[in-house]
């Protein structure tokens, strides 16, 4: 197939393909950092435990020296409404927060805020919205429970503030929310994202941390079932909302409500027993909150539930040698559309004499075009054997030559759709015959 000569013009630049993207749910955010590796969550957990152990030892030593007369024996058996005991119980859990942040800071993934949400930060407005929603659910369910009890003939209970009530109230406001945030960062944050680093389905990240969370609470079977229900609810809303804010709000309102009721004599902080009927209230509260949060997320489109990342480009096909390493006449072509001779034996671009052939031809992007047969044009033999490269030429990428320095000429057939370059002086009668098709 021959091509008619025409004035050469520079082609328009190729259209760039849009970048490839991927959306990640909260439990899969470890994949947002391309430098993160599968083993890093394991080392992160070891760092977390080591830092937590060190901070706990220091914290307890300070508290023992600060108030030795208030600490004696098992803390869980002591009066948990004592402000010092209350501070130790809740403050020791807060230490998980700096431990988790330091471990994440060491190994990633980056940015550090991915531990809190898909946006890489705490969404304070959304946190406040969820806190108000949790307060509304707890107030409604408890009001219904009190109303049913009064309707069944119960008597109102008089409120009796505990000693040191205002100290407890200060701890309730400033320490309890941090304690809840610390537990969520570890159980719904670090553990969920660790599992999500290896397992894609969100059910694994939601359910597998539940037993560890339950075992951290010294309750009987009914109390632990209640804690398990709450853990599942917090895992679901963390996945659905793309962050820990909704879970932190639910956890904080729950612990603050229980503590406040104990501070006024409505419950016993040291009581670790439960009843089957407790599961009804827990299910109603957590189910109602989950439904309300789902509704709020659907209405509030500004709450991101996934993080979009740009994937690296796909591997490109093998490119031609740089212009400086091509034969001189090929290097003059800046269109990237000319066809180049490829030795079928070595699959390398070579400077070969035009009387040999046939040669496999590829375009500027390395795609197969067809066969180039220069033998007929130069009266060469028509055997099927393929001659070797020019004597003295190294196998592989050829080096740049000035125009006319190749004693045999350089075979440069035009590619389909491209205009052939003008031949150098004395080479116009050596135009090769090109036969083939474009498969690109």
């Amino acid at each position: 197939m021959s091509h008619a000569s025409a004035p050469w013009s520079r082609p328009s630049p190729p259209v760039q393909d849009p970048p490839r993207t991927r959306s990640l749910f909260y439990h899969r955010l470890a994949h947002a950092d391309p430098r993160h590796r599968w083993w890093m969550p394991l080392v992160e957990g070891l760092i977390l435990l080591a830092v937590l152990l060190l901070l706990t030892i220091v914290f307890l030593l300070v508290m023992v020296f600060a108030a030795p007369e208030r600490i004696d024996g098992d803390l869980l058996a002591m009066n948990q409404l004592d402000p010092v005991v209350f501070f130790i119980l809740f403050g020791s859990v807060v230490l998980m927060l700096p431990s988790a942040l330091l471990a994440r800071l060491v190994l990633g993934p980056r940015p550090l805020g991915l531990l809190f949400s898909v946006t890489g930060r705490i969404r304070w407005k959304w946190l406040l919205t969820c806190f108000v929603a949790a307060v509304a659910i707890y107030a409604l369910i408890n009001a219904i429970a009190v109303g049913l009890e009064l309707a069944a003939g119960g008597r109102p209970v008089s409120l009796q503030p505990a000693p040191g009530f205002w100290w407890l109230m200060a701890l309730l406001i400033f320490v309890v929310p941090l304690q809840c945030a610390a537990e969520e960062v570890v159980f719904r944050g670090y553990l969920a994202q660790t599992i999500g680093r290896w397992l894609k389905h969100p059910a694994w990240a939601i359910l597998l941390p539940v037993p560890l969370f339950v075992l951290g609470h010294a309750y009987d079977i009914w109390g632990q079932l209640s804690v398990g229900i709450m853990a599942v609810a917090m895992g679901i809303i963390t996945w659905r909302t793309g962050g820990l804010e909704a879970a932190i709000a639910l956890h904080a309102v729950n612990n603050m409500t229980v503590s406040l009721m104990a501070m006024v004599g409505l419950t016993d902080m040291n009581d670790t027993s439960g009843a089957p009927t407790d599961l009804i209230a827990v299910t109603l509260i957590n189910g109602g909150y989950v439904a309300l949060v789902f509704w709020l997320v659907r209405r509030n489109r500004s709450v991101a539930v996934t993080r979009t990342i740009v994937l690296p480009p796909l591997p490109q096909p093998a490119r031609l040698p740089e212009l400086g390493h091509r034969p001189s006449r090929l290097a003059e072509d800046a269109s990237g559309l000319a066809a180049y001779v490829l030795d079928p034996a070595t699959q390398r671009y070579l400077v070969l004499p035009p009387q040999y052939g046939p040669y496999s031809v590829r375009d500027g992007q390395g795609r197969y075009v067809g066969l180039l047969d220069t033998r007929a044009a130069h009266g060469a033999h028509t055997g099927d054997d393929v001659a070797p490269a020019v004597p003295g030429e190294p196998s592989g990428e050829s080096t740049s030559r000035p125009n006319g320095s190749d004693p045999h000429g350089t075979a440069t057939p035009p590619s389909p759709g491209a205009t052939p370059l003008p031949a150098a002086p004395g080479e116009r009668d050596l135009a090769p015959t090109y036969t083939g098709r474009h498969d690109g």
Side-chain angles (χ1 to χ4, degrees), residues 173-203:
I173 295 173
F174 295 106
V175 178
V176 173
L178 287 176
Q179 170 258 328
C180 298
E183 290 191 6
E184 293 310 303
V185 164
V186 172
F187 291 98
R188 254 64 62 184
Y190 162 71
L191 287 179
Q193 291 185 356
T194 295
I195 296 169
R197 180 67 177 81
W198 306 319
L199 302 175
K200 183 176 181 180
H201 199 282

PDB file of all heavy atoms in Angstrom, residues 173-203:
ATOM      1  N   ILE A 173     -18.302  16.853  82.147  1.00  0.00           N
ATOM      2  CA  ILE A 173     -18.301  17.710  80.951  1.00  0.00           C
ATOM      3  C   ILE A 173     -16.986  17.606  80.182  1.00  0.00           C
ATOM      4  O   ILE A 173     -16.978  17.566  78.938  1.00  0.00           O
ATOM      5  CB  ILE A 173     -18.585  19.171  81.351  1.00  0.00           C
ATOM      6  CG1 ILE A 173     -20.005  19.280  81.920  1.00  0.00           C
ATOM      7  CG2 ILE A 173     -18.412  20.109  80.155  1.00  0.00           C
ATOM      8  CD1 ILE A 173     -20.331  20.651  82.493  1.00  0.00           C
ATOM      9  N   PHE A 174     -15.865  17.543  80.921  1.00  0.00           N
ATOM     10  CA  PHE A 174     -14.566  17.651  80.255  1.00  0.00           C
ATOM     11  C   PHE A 174     -13.854  16.321  80.051  1.00  0.00           C
ATOM     12  O   PHE A 174     -13.076  16.184  79.107  1.00  0.00           O
ATOM     13  CB  PHE A 174     -13.655  18.598  81.059  1.00  0.00           C
ATOM     14  CG  PHE A 174     -14.135  20.013  81.107  1.00  0.00           C
ATOM     15  CD1 PHE A 174     -14.700  20.524  82.260  1.00  0.00           C
ATOM     16  CD2 PHE A 174     -14.044  20.827  79.995  1.00  0.00           C
ATOM     17  CE1 PHE A 174     -15.155  21.835  82.309  1.00  0.00           C
ATOM     18  CE2 PHE A 174     -14.490  22.140  80.031  1.00  0.00           C
ATOM     19  CZ  PHE A 174     -15.055  22.642  81.189  1.00  0.00           C
ATOM     20  N   VAL A 175     -14.084  15.342  80.910  1.00  0.00           N
ATOM     21  CA  VAL A 175     -13.335  14.089  80.818  1.00  0.00           C
ATOM     22  C   VAL A 175     -14.118  12.995  80.111  1.00  0.00           C
ATOM     23  O   VAL A 175     -13.563  12.267  79.278  1.00  0.00           O
ATOM     24  CB  VAL A 175     -12.907  13.619  82.227  1.00  0.00           C
ATOM     25  CG1 VAL A 175     -12.160  12.286  82.143  1.00  0.00           C
ATOM     26  CG2 VAL A 175     -12.027  14.666  82.898  1.00  0.00           C
ATOM     27  N   VAL A 176     -15.398  12.865  80.420  1.00  0.00           N
ATOM     28  CA  VAL A 176     -16.197  11.778  79.839  1.00  0.00           C
ATOM     29  C   VAL A 176     -16.243  11.857  78.314  1.00  0.00           C
ATOM     30  O   VAL A 176     -16.062  10.818  77.641  1.00  0.00           O
ATOM     31  CB  VAL A 176     -17.614  11.758  80.453  1.00  0.00           C
ATOM     32  CG1 VAL A 176     -18.496  10.750  79.724  1.00  0.00           C
ATOM     33  CG2 VAL A 176     -17.541  11.432  81.933  1.00  0.00           C
ATOM     34  N   PRO A 177     -16.461  13.029  77.682  1.00  0.00           N
ATOM     35  CA  PRO A 177     -16.431  13.049  76.213  1.00  0.00           C
ATOM     36  C   PRO A 177     -15.088  12.610  75.635  1.00  0.00           C
ATOM     37  O   PRO A 177     -15.043  11.931  74.600  1.00  0.00           O
ATOM     38  CB  PRO A 177     -16.745  14.513  75.879  1.00  0.00           C
ATOM     39  CG  PRO A 177     -17.514  15.019  77.052  1.00  0.00           C
ATOM     40  CD  PRO A 177     -16.911  14.329  78.224  1.00  0.00           C
ATOM     41  N   LEU A 178     -13.984  12.984  76.294  1.00  0.00           N
ATOM     42  CA  LEU A 178     -12.672  12.552  75.808  1.00  0.00           C
ATOM     43  C   LEU A 178     -12.506  11.042  75.954  1.00  0.00           C
ATOM     44  O   LEU A 178     -11.905  10.384  75.092  1.00  0.00           O
ATOM     45  CB  LEU A 178     -11.569  13.273  76.583  1.00  0.00           C
ATOM     46  CG  LEU A 178     -11.371  14.757  76.253  1.00  0.00           C
ATOM     47  CD1 LEU A 178     -10.306  15.361  77.167  1.00  0.00           C
ATOM     48  CD2 LEU A 178     -10.989  14.945  74.793  1.00  0.00           C
ATOM     49  N   GLN A 179     -13.028  10.492  77.056  1.00  0.00           N
ATOM     50  CA  GLN A 179     -12.963   9.044  77.240  1.00  0.00           C
ATOM     51  C   GLN A 179     -13.717   8.325  76.129  1.00  0.00           C
ATOM     52  O   GLN A 179     -13.244   7.321  75.573  1.00  0.00           O
ATOM     53  CB  GLN A 179     -13.539   8.672  78.607  1.00  0.00           C
ATOM     54  CG  GLN A 179     -13.740   7.189  78.824  1.00  0.00           C
ATOM     55  CD  GLN A 179     -15.199   6.768  78.675  1.00  0.00           C
ATOM     56  OE1 GLN A 179     -16.113   7.538  78.988  1.00  0.00           O
ATOM     57  NE2 GLN A 179     -15.414   5.549  78.209  1.00  0.00           N
ATOM     58  N   CYS A 180     -14.890   8.840  75.775  1.00  0.00           N
ATOM     59  CA  CYS A 180     -15.679   8.217  74.697  1.00  0.00           C
ATOM     60  C   CYS A 180     -14.983   8.367  73.349  1.00  0.00           C
ATOM     61  O   CYS A 180     -14.950   7.418  72.543  1.00  0.00           O
ATOM     62  CB  CYS A 180     -17.068   8.845  74.652  1.00  0.00           C
ATOM     63  SG  CYS A 180     -18.032   8.601  76.159  1.00  0.00           S
ATOM     64  N   ALA A 181     -14.414   9.548  73.098  1.00  0.00           N
ATOM     65  CA  ALA A 181     -13.691   9.747  71.842  1.00  0.00           C
ATOM     66  C   ALA A 181     -12.499   8.810  71.742  1.00  0.00           C
ATOM     67  O   ALA A 181     -12.205   8.266  70.663  1.00  0.00           O
ATOM     68  CB  ALA A 181     -13.238  11.203  71.734  1.00  0.00           C
ATOM     69  N   ALA A 182     -11.800   8.589  72.863  1.00  0.00           N
ATOM     70  CA  ALA A 182     -10.639   7.694  72.847  1.00  0.00           C
ATOM     71  C   ALA A 182     -11.050   6.265  72.500  1.00  0.00           C
ATOM     72  O   ALA A 182     -10.391   5.592  71.687  1.00  0.00           O
ATOM     73  CB  ALA A 182      -9.942   7.732  74.211  1.00  0.00           C
ATOM     74  N   GLU A 183     -12.125   5.783  73.095  1.00  0.00           N
ATOM     75  CA  GLU A 183     -12.581   4.426  72.776  1.00  0.00           C
ATOM     76  C   GLU A 183     -13.013   4.310  71.326  1.00  0.00           C
ATOM     77  O   GLU A 183     -12.753   3.281  70.670  1.00  0.00           O
ATOM     78  CB  GLU A 183     -13.721   4.043  73.717  1.00  0.00           C
ATOM     79  CG  GLU A 183     -13.294   3.831  75.168  1.00  0.00           C
ATOM     80  CD  GLU A 183     -14.387   3.209  76.014  1.00  0.00           C
ATOM     81  OE1 GLU A 183     -15.432   2.832  75.459  1.00  0.00           O
ATOM     82  OE2 GLU A 183     -14.189   3.091  77.241  1.00  0.00           O
ATOM     83  N   GLU A 184     -13.675   5.323  70.801  1.00  0.00           N
ATOM     84  CA  GLU A 184     -14.104   5.263  69.404  1.00  0.00           C
ATOM     85  C   GLU A 184     -12.919   5.308  68.447  1.00  0.00           C
ATOM     86  O   GLU A 184     -12.920   4.626  67.419  1.00  0.00           O
ATOM     87  CB  GLU A 184     -15.081   6.411  69.104  1.00  0.00           C
ATOM     88  CG  GLU A 184     -16.399   6.288  69.838  1.00  0.00           C
ATOM     89  CD  GLU A 184     -17.021   4.916  69.664  1.00  0.00           C
ATOM     90  OE1 GLU A 184     -17.254   4.517  68.510  1.00  0.00           O
ATOM     91  OE2 GLU A 184     -17.255   4.240  70.682  1.00  0.00           O
ATOM     92  N   VAL A 185     -11.909   6.115  68.758  1.00  0.00           N
ATOM     93  CA  VAL A 185     -10.725   6.181  67.907  1.00  0.00           C
ATOM     94  C   VAL A 185     -10.042   4.822  67.824  1.00  0.00           C
ATOM     95  O   VAL A 185      -9.559   4.415  66.761  1.00  0.00           O
ATOM     96  CB  VAL A 185      -9.755   7.267  68.429  1.00  0.00           C
ATOM     97  CG1 VAL A 185      -8.370   7.098  67.820  1.00  0.00           C
ATOM     98  CG2 VAL A 185     -10.287   8.657  68.103  1.00  0.00           C
ATOM     99  N   VAL A 186     -10.023   4.085  68.927  1.00  0.00           N
ATOM    100  CA  VAL A 186      -9.352   2.783  68.937  1.00  0.00           C
ATOM    101  C   VAL A 186     -10.233   1.702  68.323  1.00  0.00           C
ATOM    102  O   VAL A 186      -9.796   0.962  67.425  1.00  0.00           O
ATOM    103  CB  VAL A 186      -8.942   2.403  70.372  1.00  0.00           C
ATOM    104  CG1 VAL A 186      -8.433   0.959  70.411  1.00  0.00           C
ATOM    105  CG2 VAL A 186      -7.869   3.346  70.882  1.00  0.00           C
ATOM    106  N   PHE A 187     -11.495   1.585  68.774  1.00  0.00           N
ATOM    107  CA  PHE A 187     -12.328   0.441  68.374  1.00  0.00           C
ATOM    108  C   PHE A 187     -13.052   0.667  67.051  1.00  0.00           C
ATOM    109  O   PHE A 187     -13.141  -0.263  66.244  1.00  0.00           O
ATOM    110  CB  PHE A 187     -13.338   0.132  69.484  1.00  0.00           C
ATOM    111  CG  PHE A 187     -12.712  -0.427  70.727  1.00  0.00           C
ATOM    112  CD1 PHE A 187     -12.421   0.381  71.809  1.00  0.00           C
ATOM    113  CD2 PHE A 187     -12.382  -1.767  70.803  1.00  0.00           C
ATOM    114  CE1 PHE A 187     -11.839  -0.132  72.950  1.00  0.00           C
ATOM    115  CE2 PHE A 187     -11.790  -2.297  71.939  1.00  0.00           C
ATOM    116  CZ  PHE A 187     -11.517  -1.478  73.017  1.00  0.00           C
ATOM    117  N   ARG A 188     -13.595   1.832  66.814  1.00  0.00           N
ATOM    118  CA  ARG A 188     -14.267   2.113  65.544  1.00  0.00           C
ATOM    119  C   ARG A 188     -13.335   2.805  64.555  1.00  0.00           C
ATOM    120  O   ARG A 188     -13.681   2.949  63.382  1.00  0.00           O
ATOM    121  CB  ARG A 188     -15.520   2.962  65.768  1.00  0.00           C
ATOM    122  CG  ARG A 188     -16.819   2.208  65.632  1.00  0.00           C
ATOM    123  CD  ARG A 188     -16.991   1.135  66.668  1.00  0.00           C
ATOM    124  NE  ARG A 188     -17.024   1.678  68.020  1.00  0.00           N
ATOM    125  CZ  ARG A 188     -17.099   0.961  69.119  1.00  0.00           C
ATOM    126  NH1 ARG A 188     -17.108  -0.366  69.035  1.00  0.00           N
ATOM    127  NH2 ARG A 188     -17.118   1.521  70.322  1.00  0.00           N
ATOM    128  N   GLY A 189     -12.156   3.228  65.022  1.00  0.00           N
ATOM    129  CA  GLY A 189     -11.192   3.880  64.158  1.00  0.00           C
ATOM    130  C   GLY A 189     -10.062   2.953  63.773  1.00  0.00           C
ATOM    131  O   GLY A 189     -10.056   2.360  62.697  1.00  0.00           O
ATOM    132  N   TYR A 190      -9.092   2.798  64.673  1.00  0.00           N
ATOM    133  CA  TYR A 190      -7.907   1.991  64.356  1.00  0.00           C
ATOM    134  C   TYR A 190      -8.272   0.551  63.989  1.00  0.00           C
ATOM    135  O   TYR A 190      -7.828   0.035  62.959  1.00  0.00           O
ATOM    136  CB  TYR A 190      -6.928   2.009  65.535  1.00  0.00           C
ATOM    137  CG  TYR A 190      -5.935   0.884  65.463  1.00  0.00           C
ATOM    138  CD1 TYR A 190      -4.923   0.892  64.501  1.00  0.00           C
ATOM    139  CD2 TYR A 190      -6.025  -0.214  66.317  1.00  0.00           C
ATOM    140  CE1 TYR A 190      -4.031  -0.161  64.409  1.00  0.00           C
ATOM    141  CE2 TYR A 190      -5.126  -1.271  66.230  1.00  0.00           C
ATOM    142  CZ  TYR A 190      -4.133  -1.234  65.271  1.00  0.00           C
ATOM    143  OH  TYR A 190      -3.254  -2.278  65.169  1.00  0.00           O
ATOM    144  N   LEU A 191      -9.070  -0.120  64.827  1.00  0.00           N
ATOM    145  CA  LEU A 191      -9.376  -1.526  64.555  1.00  0.00           C
ATOM    146  C   LEU A 191     -10.178  -1.698  63.267  1.00  0.00           C
ATOM    147  O   LEU A 191      -9.916  -2.616  62.472  1.00  0.00           O
ATOM    148  CB  LEU A 191     -10.126  -2.144  65.737  1.00  0.00           C
ATOM    149  CG  LEU A 191      -9.296  -2.429  66.991  1.00  0.00           C
ATOM    150  CD1 LEU A 191     -10.182  -3.012  68.090  1.00  0.00           C
ATOM    151  CD2 LEU A 191      -8.158  -3.380  66.677  1.00  0.00           C
ATOM    152  N   ALA A 192     -11.167  -0.826  63.048  1.00  0.00           N
ATOM    153  CA  ALA A 192     -11.972  -0.939  61.823  1.00  0.00           C
ATOM    154  C   ALA A 192     -11.129  -0.703  60.581  1.00  0.00           C
ATOM    155  O   ALA A 192     -11.252  -1.421  59.585  1.00  0.00           O
ATOM    156  CB  ALA A 192     -13.135   0.059  61.881  1.00  0.00           C
ATOM    157  N   GLN A 193     -10.252   0.294  60.612  1.00  0.00           N
ATOM    158  CA  GLN A 193      -9.418   0.566  59.453  1.00  0.00           C
ATOM    159  C   GLN A 193      -8.334  -0.491  59.272  1.00  0.00           C
ATOM    160  O   GLN A 193      -7.894  -0.736  58.149  1.00  0.00           O
ATOM    161  CB  GLN A 193      -8.809   1.961  59.568  1.00  0.00           C
ATOM    162  CG  GLN A 193      -9.829   3.068  59.416  1.00  0.00           C
ATOM    163  CD  GLN A 193      -9.207   4.450  59.404  1.00  0.00           C
ATOM    164  OE1 GLN A 193      -8.011   4.618  59.588  1.00  0.00           O
ATOM    165  NE2 GLN A 193     -10.040   5.464  59.195  1.00  0.00           N
ATOM    166  N   THR A 194      -7.902  -1.106  60.362  1.00  0.00           N
ATOM    167  CA  THR A 194      -6.950  -2.213  60.238  1.00  0.00           C
ATOM    168  C   THR A 194      -7.596  -3.399  59.531  1.00  0.00           C
ATOM    169  O   THR A 194      -7.014  -3.990  58.612  1.00  0.00           O
ATOM    170  CB  THR A 194      -6.448  -2.634  61.628  1.00  0.00           C
ATOM    171  OG1 THR A 194      -5.713  -1.561  62.204  1.00  0.00           O
ATOM    172  CG2 THR A 194      -5.560  -3.863  61.534  1.00  0.00           C
ATOM    173  N   ILE A 195      -8.802  -3.739  59.948  1.00  0.00           N
ATOM    174  CA  ILE A 195      -9.520  -4.845  59.294  1.00  0.00           C
ATOM    175  C   ILE A 195      -9.855  -4.476  57.849  1.00  0.00           C
ATOM    176  O   ILE A 195      -9.732  -5.295  56.934  1.00  0.00           O
ATOM    177  CB  ILE A 195     -10.786  -5.185  60.098  1.00  0.00           C
ATOM    178  CG1 ILE A 195     -10.391  -5.710  61.485  1.00  0.00           C
ATOM    179  CG2 ILE A 195     -11.639  -6.213  59.358  1.00  0.00           C
ATOM    180  CD1 ILE A 195     -11.543  -5.816  62.451  1.00  0.00           C
ATOM    181  N   GLY A 196     -10.281  -3.235  57.636  1.00  0.00           N
ATOM    182  CA  GLY A 196     -10.599  -2.791  56.286  1.00  0.00           C
ATOM    183  C   GLY A 196      -9.397  -2.733  55.371  1.00  0.00           C
ATOM    184  O   GLY A 196      -9.552  -2.722  54.149  1.00  0.00           O
ATOM    185  N   ARG A 197      -8.201  -2.687  55.945  1.00  0.00           N
ATOM    186  CA  ARG A 197      -6.987  -2.718  55.115  1.00  0.00           C
ATOM    187  C   ARG A 197      -6.858  -4.052  54.408  1.00  0.00           C
ATOM    188  O   ARG A 197      -6.277  -4.136  53.310  1.00  0.00           O
ATOM    189  CB  ARG A 197      -5.763  -2.472  56.012  1.00  0.00           C
ATOM    190  CG  ARG A 197      -4.407  -2.474  55.282  1.00  0.00           C
ATOM    191  CD  ARG A 197      -4.334  -1.286  54.354  1.00  0.00           C
ATOM    192  NE  ARG A 197      -3.045  -1.191  53.691  1.00  0.00           N
ATOM    193  CZ  ARG A 197      -2.681  -1.891  52.624  1.00  0.00           C
ATOM    194  NH1 ARG A 197      -3.511  -2.787  52.105  1.00  0.00           N
ATOM    195  NH2 ARG A 197      -1.497  -1.709  52.068  1.00  0.00           N
ATOM    196  N   TRP A 198      -7.408  -5.108  54.995  1.00  0.00           N
ATOM    197  CA  TRP A 198      -7.275  -6.463  54.448  1.00  0.00           C
ATOM    198  C   TRP A 198      -8.587  -7.015  53.906  1.00  0.00           C
ATOM    199  O   TRP A 198      -8.577  -7.800  52.959  1.00  0.00           O
ATOM    200  CB  TRP A 198      -6.750  -7.403  55.529  1.00  0.00           C
ATOM    201  CG  TRP A 198      -5.491  -6.938  56.172  1.00  0.00           C
ATOM    202  CD1 TRP A 198      -4.405  -6.366  55.551  1.00  0.00           C
ATOM    203  CD2 TRP A 198      -5.152  -6.989  57.564  1.00  0.00           C
ATOM    204  NE1 TRP A 198      -3.430  -6.071  56.465  1.00  0.00           N
ATOM    205  CE2 TRP A 198      -3.848  -6.444  57.719  1.00  0.00           C
ATOM    206  CE3 TRP A 198      -5.806  -7.441  58.700  1.00  0.00           C
ATOM    207  CZ2 TRP A 198      -3.210  -6.342  58.952  1.00  0.00           C
ATOM    208  CZ3 TRP A 198      -5.164  -7.354  59.932  1.00  0.00           C
ATOM    209  CH2 TRP A 198      -3.881  -6.806  60.045  1.00  0.00           C
ATOM    210  N   LEU A 199      -9.729  -6.642  54.517  1.00  0.00           N
ATOM    211  CA  LEU A 199     -11.031  -7.190  54.130  1.00  0.00           C
ATOM    212  C   LEU A 199     -11.920  -6.055  53.649  1.00  0.00           C
ATOM    213  O   LEU A 199     -12.087  -5.047  54.339  1.00  0.00           O
ATOM    214  CB  LEU A 199     -11.684  -7.919  55.320  1.00  0.00           C
ATOM    215  CG  LEU A 199     -10.869  -9.073  55.915  1.00  0.00           C
ATOM    216  CD1 LEU A 199     -11.553  -9.624  57.162  1.00  0.00           C
ATOM    217  CD2 LEU A 199     -10.660 -10.176  54.886  1.00  0.00           C
ATOM    218  N   LYS A 200     -12.525  -6.235  52.485  1.00  0.00           N
ATOM    219  CA  LYS A 200     -13.259  -5.147  51.848  1.00  0.00           C
ATOM    220  C   LYS A 200     -14.641  -4.935  52.422  1.00  0.00           C
ATOM    221  O   LYS A 200     -15.086  -3.790  52.608  1.00  0.00           O
ATOM    222  CB  LYS A 200     -13.349  -5.412  50.335  1.00  0.00           C
ATOM    223  CG  LYS A 200     -14.027  -4.297  49.560  1.00  0.00           C
ATOM    224  CD  LYS A 200     -13.987  -4.588  48.071  1.00  0.00           C
ATOM    225  CE  LYS A 200     -14.637  -3.460  47.275  1.00  0.00           C
ATOM    226  NZ  LYS A 200     -14.610  -3.736  45.826  1.00  0.00           N
ATOM    227  N   HIS A 201     -15.380  -6.003  52.719  1.00  0.00           N
ATOM    228  CA  HIS A 201     -16.774  -5.848  53.132  1.00  0.00           C
ATOM    229  C   HIS A 201     -16.856  -5.154  54.488  1.00  0.00           C
ATOM    230  O   HIS A 201     -16.127  -5.506  55.433  1.00  0.00           O
ATOM    231  CB  HIS A 201     -17.463  -7.209  53.198  1.00  0.00           C
ATOM    232  CG  HIS A 201     -18.951  -7.110  53.161  1.00  0.00           C
ATOM    233  ND1 HIS A 201     -19.714  -6.755  54.254  1.00  0.00           N
ATOM    234  CD2 HIS A 201     -19.827  -7.296  52.141  1.00  0.00           C
ATOM    235  CE1 HIS A 201     -20.987  -6.736  53.926  1.00  0.00           C
ATOM    236  NE2 HIS A 201     -21.082  -7.072  52.635  1.00  0.00           N
ATOM    237  N   PRO A 202     -17.738  -4.154  54.645  1.00  0.00           N
ATOM    238  CA  PRO A 202     -17.797  -3.410  55.911  1.00  0.00           C
ATOM    239  C   PRO A 202     -18.236  -4.240  57.104  1.00  0.00           C
ATOM    240  O   PRO A 202     -17.960  -3.867  58.251  1.00  0.00           O
ATOM    241  CB  PRO A 202     -18.798  -2.287  55.614  1.00  0.00           C
ATOM    242  CG  PRO A 202     -19.619  -2.780  54.466  1.00  0.00           C
ATOM    243  CD  PRO A 202     -18.681  -3.603  53.642  1.00  0.00           C
ATOM    244  N   ALA A 203     -18.942  -5.353  56.875  1.00  0.00           N
ATOM    245  CA  ALA A 203     -19.411  -6.164  58.006  1.00  0.00           C
ATOM    246  C   ALA A 203     -18.239  -6.649  58.855  1.00  0.00           C
ATOM    247  O   ALA A 203     -18.349  -6.739  60.083  1.00  0.00           O
ATOM    248  CB  ALA A 203     -20.222  -7.353  57.498  1.00  0.00           C
TER     249      ALA A 203
END
